[in-house]
């Protein structure tokens, strides 16, 4: 009897040849993705499945669609990982209806080396079961057990495989799980990918519950860079804010990216934030001072004036455009009530909803009375404050963040702002 693995655990592989198989009471297909360190295939030839049963070093057994023979010596050096994928045959079926599948690694003589019972599956129809990966000149196995919310076609295309017509036998999962995937997700570690998937599902649930599922919207992130935000930068609260806003963009924005601004007295329009480079982006741009990528942060200032950055965003809006969601994080100020009020009334004619979020304990001034502001065609803004955003779970955060956006969409459409 081999060693039992639990989710996330890994183990060494001393064998030059192994067989990966899956036992389950459901009818399944097993496939493999041979990927580089970037998390993508070199070409479609690195995808092993029933219509293409072999790639260098990996063969799908002709007599058993749920077994892969792997010869590590024959795997090209450019290939960093082999990902074993289990897919249900029955359209509409989900793993939660069946007993947990068991993934097994055996040696060439059939002796079990590792066994992994994939617990906790529910609405998934596609699961990355195991990952075989290079480490220190050898190979190891990791128990992954990660459902792929976008379905089979999304999984393979996210790994760089071209799919002209997604197979009819591989439907997307039911609406509550039909979250979008965007470029760059496949290159994430499985731990980061799992966290992103959980957050995407939380965003999708809010949109579904609010009747706004399937809406596409430009997403703009604005972050306060004033001196009073020192603690939020020092403790990397703003870094975590960025990571938690990315799932919103993946479900709303056409390309899954966040447009980004930092503001104080002036502002800087920064490069878009993408899934693949989000951590690099936060390290590069989330600072209070210095020069970063040619941007002099001293010129942005250290005190707050919201009008310049708001005017710049408003200038980018045109009647008849699709919707824009502005996520505006600040620790307060907004003292210029008259001019900001006039700007929000002007902006109510344009296709954007402004969600203001207060960070920390502060005086938010005008923001607390946004819902009472008169003279607007539609209510185009919301506000809530978070004393400690790290203490708010994803479900609550996204419910508050997106709670008023669907109502604005309907009101803006009724007023002719959105068409």
């Amino acid at each position: 009897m081999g060693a039992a693995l639990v989710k996330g655990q890994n183990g060494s592989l001393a064998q030059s040849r192994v067989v990966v198989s899956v036992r389950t009471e459901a009818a399944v297909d097993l496939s493999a993705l041979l990927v580089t360190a970037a998390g993508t295939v070199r070409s479609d030839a690195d995808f092993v499945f029933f219509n293409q049963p072999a790639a260098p070093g990996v063969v799908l057994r002709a007599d058993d669609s749920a077994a892969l023979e792997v010869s590590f010596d024959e795997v090209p050096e450019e290939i960093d990982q082999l990902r074993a994928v289990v897919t249900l045959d029955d359209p509409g079926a989900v793993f939660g209806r069946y007993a947990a599948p068991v993934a097994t690694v055996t040696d060439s003589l059939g002796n079990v080396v590792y066994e992994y019972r994939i617990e906790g599956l529910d609405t998934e129809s596609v699961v990355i079961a195991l990952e075989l990966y290079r480490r220190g000149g050898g190979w190891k196995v990791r128990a992954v057990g990660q459902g792929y919310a976008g379905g089979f076609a999304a999984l393979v295309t996210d790994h760089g495989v071209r799919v002209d017509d997604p197979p009819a036998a591989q439907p997307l999962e039911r609406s509550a799980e039909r979250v979008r995937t965007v470029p760059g997700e496949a290159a994430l570690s499985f731990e980061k990918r799992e966290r992103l998937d959980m957050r995407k599902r939380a965003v999708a649930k809010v949109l579904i519950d609010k009747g706004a599922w399937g809406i596409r919207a430009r997403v703009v992130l604005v972050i306060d860079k004033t001196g009073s935000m020192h603690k939020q930068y020092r403790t990397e609260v703003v870094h975590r804010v960025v990571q938690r806003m990315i799932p919103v963009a993946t479900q709303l924005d056409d390309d899954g990216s966040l447009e980004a601004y930092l503001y104080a007295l002036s502002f800087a329009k920064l490069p878009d934030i993408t899934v693949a480079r989000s951590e690099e982006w936060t390290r590069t741009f989330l600072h209070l001072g210095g020069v970063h990528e040619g941007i002099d942060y001293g010129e942005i200032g250290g005190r707050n004036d919201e009008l310049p950055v708001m005017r710049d965003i408003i200038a980018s809006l045109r009647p008849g455009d699709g919707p824009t969601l502005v996520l505006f994080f600040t620790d307060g100020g907004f003292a210029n009530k008259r001019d900001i009020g006039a700007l929000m009334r002007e902006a109510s004619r344009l296709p954007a909803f402004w969600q203001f979020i207060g960070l920390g304990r502060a005086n938010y001034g005008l923001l607390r009375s946004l819902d009472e502001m008169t003279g607007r065609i539609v209510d185009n803004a919301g506000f809530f404050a978070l004393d400690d955003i790290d203490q708010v779970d994803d479900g609550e955060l996204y419910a508050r963040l997106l709670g008023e956006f669907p109502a604005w969409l309907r009101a803006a459409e009724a007023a002719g702002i959105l068409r």
Side-chain angles (χ1 to χ4, degrees), residues 237-405:
V237 169
V238 289
H239 296 62
R240 295 189 289 279
V241 164
V242 169
Q243 296 301 326
R244 295 178 80 176
M245 293 307 102
I246 287 171
V248 178
T250 67
Q251 301 311 293
L252 287 175
D253 192 90
D254 281 338
D255 63 5
S257 65
L258 277 167
E259 295 183 39
Y261 288 83
L262 288 185
Y263 90 95
L265 279 172
S266 181
F267 66 89
K269 177 73 168 65
L270 302 176
D272 291 354
I273 308 169
T274 63
V275 166
R277 301 188 63 188
S278 62
E279 292 189 357
E280 177 185 350
W281 189 98
T282 59
R283 290 193 300 269
T284 301
F285 294 107
L286 290 182
H287 305 280
L288 291 176
V291 178
H292 307 280
E293 294 295 307
I295 302 171
D296 187 343
Y297 279 42
E299 293 182 355
I300 302 174
R303 293 182 293 107
N304 63 297
D305 183 354
E306 292 75 22
L307 291 170
V309 67
M310 292 178 70
R311 286 177 176 140
D312 193 75
I313 295 170
I314 289 171
S316 72
L317 303 171
R318 298 289 183 273
D321 284 352
T324 290
L325 173 62
V326 181
L327 304 173
F328 203 115
F329 285 84
T330 178
D331 73 342
F334 285 72
N336 195 338
K337 295 183 179 181
R338 186 182 68 178
D339 289 345
I340 292 175
L343 202 60
M344 291 306 299
R345 292 183 182 94
E346 173 191 339
S348 72
R349 302 175 179 274
L350 298 169
F353 183 79
W354 300 70
Q355 180 62 62
F356 295 95
I357 305 98
L359 292 177
R361 299 172 176 86
N363 174 21
Y364 296 108
L366 171 71
L367 294 178
R368 293 195 180 278
S369 59
L370 282 174
D371 285 338
E372 302 167 6
M373 187 181 296
T374 60
R376 293 175 294 167
I377 294 177
V378 295
D379 181 353
N380 62 336
F383 170 75
F384 63 92
L386 297 169
D387 288 343
D388 186 349
I389 194 171
D390 290 330
Q391 297 302 310
V392 179
D393 66 30
D394 292 326
E396 180 183 349
L397 177 63
Y398 296 135
R400 299 182 72 178
L401 197 76
L402 299 169
E404 295 186 53
F405 180 59

Side-chain angles (χ1 to χ4, degrees), residues 26 73 77 84 100 143 175 264 345 371 418:
D73 293 340
E77 291 184 4
S175 60
R345 292 183 182 94
D371 285 338
L418 292 174

Side-chain angles (χ1 to χ4, degrees), residues 138-162:
W139 287 83
K140 300 185 76 172
V141 59
R142 179 183 290 115
V144 179
Q146 179 186 325
Y148 209 89
F152 183 77
L155 180 145
V156 296
T157 54
D158 200 30
H159 283 78
V161 179
R162 293 170 299 176

